[in-house]
Amino acid sequence: MTTLSRTLRRAAVLVSAALTLLIPTAVAASAAPAFRVLVFSKTTAFRHDSIPAGVAAIQKLGQQNNFAVDATEDDTKFTDANLAQYAAVVFVSTTGDPVTTQAEKDAFQRYIEHGGGFVGIHAASDSGYNWPWYGKLVGAYFKQHPAQQNARVKVEDPNHPSTQGLPAQMTRFDEWYDFQTNPRPNVHVLTTLDESSYSGGTMGADHPNTWCQAYDGGRSWYTGMGHTIESFSEANFLHLLLGGIQTASGAVAANCAVTTPPPPTGKQIVGTQSGRCIEVPNASTTNGTQVQLRDCTSGQANQSWTYTSGKQLMVYGNKCLDANGGGTTNGTAVIIWDCNGQNNQQWNVNSNGSITSVKSNLCVDANGRGTANGTKIILWSCSGQTNQQWTLR
């Protein structure tokens, strides 16, 4: 072998050795996950059959998008030391009291306070009822749902990573949650439900069903969707969920500032006799506030009423015109109250200009035939007089 041959051979060996050292490092670097999440799916009440599909879908999203996924139903994993390794904890349709002990609850609270992330899917809002801090972390507690059916979902914020690129409106099949309170005053709303597109919803014109928020030092993202097994193979839902995980983990920046109320879309109720509008005084949202006459002001939310398919007259998207105490006698105050579907919140808007209570058949009446600002609205036997005639415009 010549000197040149020996030199070339040594060079080849050295190059081969160098590549052997470099290649595992490069592979390891490319395989290192950007962050790690814990998927938690313990239930102590109703158990959704979609949970395995949900866990598997998140594991697949992790493989496709370079984040690690650990899955557990063991709430003893909720310790300071264990939670510290995760950028977010994903609750997949947890129900009942899945984080059982106070020590575990305290550890999770500290985790959020130190900048951790929370993702809640569907029945994550149907748990922790004895844990008020958790209810605020989710944003709202589950109230009820009608039968599973198609409904129209509207994207309210098309710029958030979880909704960016989704259609402005989507019709999809799921189980549609109502919540005990409207979360809008405390969260950033991402999608809403159009209650005119399905039957059985009780939240009204403003029905958030996906939102995010900065909460108690950490990040929170929640969607009411995800009841069905099929949801977790649906491209649009997986897009939504991926954005939720990435933003709650802090891997992708997002605006989760509180959303201002949507502009009123309803109509004014104008008295034929007075020319004034029925309004909620001082823009109050307090249950039991009696409505009154006031000079009509265009675009004012406390004078904007939506007449729903369920015969409700709704204001603010979640309060309904209500016969106080279910009253059926002359003089019963007409107030606002959380919409509940009861017949003392149902009204017939009649062709003769009257508005009558479905329950009592009494007419909405400007008290004492008053026309002045501040005149209270009551129920009274229908007489055909102009203080009982109204126009929705």
Side-chain angles (χ1 to χ4, degrees), residues 228-242:
T228 66
I229 294 172
E230 292 76 14
S231 293
F232 293 99
S233 58
E234 180 188 324
N236 284 338
F237 181 75
L238 291 174
H239 176 99
L240 183 81
L241 178 56
L242 175 62

Side-chain angles (χ1 to χ4, degrees), residues 113-356:
E113 289 170 348
H114 287 87
F118 167 81
V119 173
I121 299 173
H122 194 56
S125 63
D126 188 21
S127 61
Y129 292 106
N130 61 350
W131 190 9
W133 176 89
Y134 174 81
K136 293 177 183 177
L137 173 70
V138 175
Y141 284 120
F142 163 76
K143 178 185 177 183
Q144 67 98 36
H145 64 78
Q148 297 171 44
Q149 59 194 293
N150 281 318
R152 186 161 48 250
V153 179
K154 296 181 177 181
V155 171
E156 181 162 317
D157 179 2
N159 299 311
H160 189 277
S162 60
T163 48
Q164 193 171 42
L166 291 180
Q169 298 185 14
M170 303 175 284
T171 297
R172 57 184 307 276
F173 185 86
D174 214 320
E175 183 176 79
W176 304 108
Y177 274 10
D178 290 341
F179 302 97
Q180 294 181 16
T181 56
N182 189 321
R184 183 180 289 276
N186 302 307
V187 303
H188 184 91
V189 177
L190 300 174
T191 70
T192 60
L193 282 174
D194 180 356
E195 287 198 356
S196 70
S197 68
Y198 73 104
S199 61
T202 64
M203 292 188 68
D206 184 27
H207 188 154
N209 81 325
T210 306
W211 57 78
C212 64
Q213 61 172 320
Y215 178 71
D216 204 15
R219 298 169 300 276
S220 171
W221 183 97
Y222 171 82
T223 184
M225 295 182 276
H227 172 86
T228 66
I229 294 172
E230 292 76 14
S231 293
F232 293 99
S233 58
E234 180 188 324
N236 284 338
F237 181 75
L238 291 174
H239 176 99
L240 183 81
L241 178 56
L242 175 62
I245 292 171
Q246 291 175 325
T247 55
S249 297
V252 176
N255 174 20
C256 286
V258 172
T259 307
T260 55
T265 58
K267 297 181 178 181
Q268 294 173 318
I269 305 174
V270 185
T272 299
Q273 182 182 34
S274 66
R276 292 192 163 94
C277 283
I278 292 180
E279 71 154 25
V280 186
N282 303 314
S284 174
T285 59
T286 303
N287 284 338
T289 301
Q290 186 173 7
V291 296
Q292 64 181 22
L293 293 180
R294 180 67 60 180
D295 294 331
C296 298
T297 304
S298 179
Q300 196 160 296
N302 64 325
Q303 292 184 356
S304 180
W305 302 88
T306 300
Y307 189 53
T308 74
S309 59
K311 295 191 174 184
Q312 297 165 314
L313 282 164
M314 185 179 299
V315 67
Y316 306 137
N318 63 349
K319 301 287 183 179
C320 279
L321 205 66
D322 180 293
N324 189 28
T328 58
T329 59
N330 285 341
T332 296
V334 178
I335 62 171
I336 61 166
W337 200 270
D338 292 332
C339 298
N340 55 34
Q342 295 178 358
N343 62 0
N344 65 311
Q345 293 186 351
Q346 294 177 326
W347 308 89
N348 291 314
V349 177
N350 303 304
S351 59
N352 65 0
S354 67
I355 298 175
T356 52

Side-chain angles (χ1 to χ4, degrees), residues 40-48 51 73 92-99 123 127:
F40 181 59
S41 55
K42 179 179 176 180
T43 57
T44 64
F46 181 83
R47 186 167 182 86
H48 287 71
I51 287 175
E73 297 203 350
V92 181
S93 283
T94 50
T95 56
D97 188 22
V99 183
S127 61

Side-chain angles (χ1 to χ4, degrees), residues 86-110:
Y86 299 110
V89 182
V90 185
F91 280 47
V92 181
S93 283
T94 50
T95 56
D97 188 22
V99 183
T100 308
T101 70
Q102 190 60 49
E104 293 163 0
K105 290 177 169 69
D106 291 344
F108 187 54
Q109 183 167 339
R110 286 191 296 270

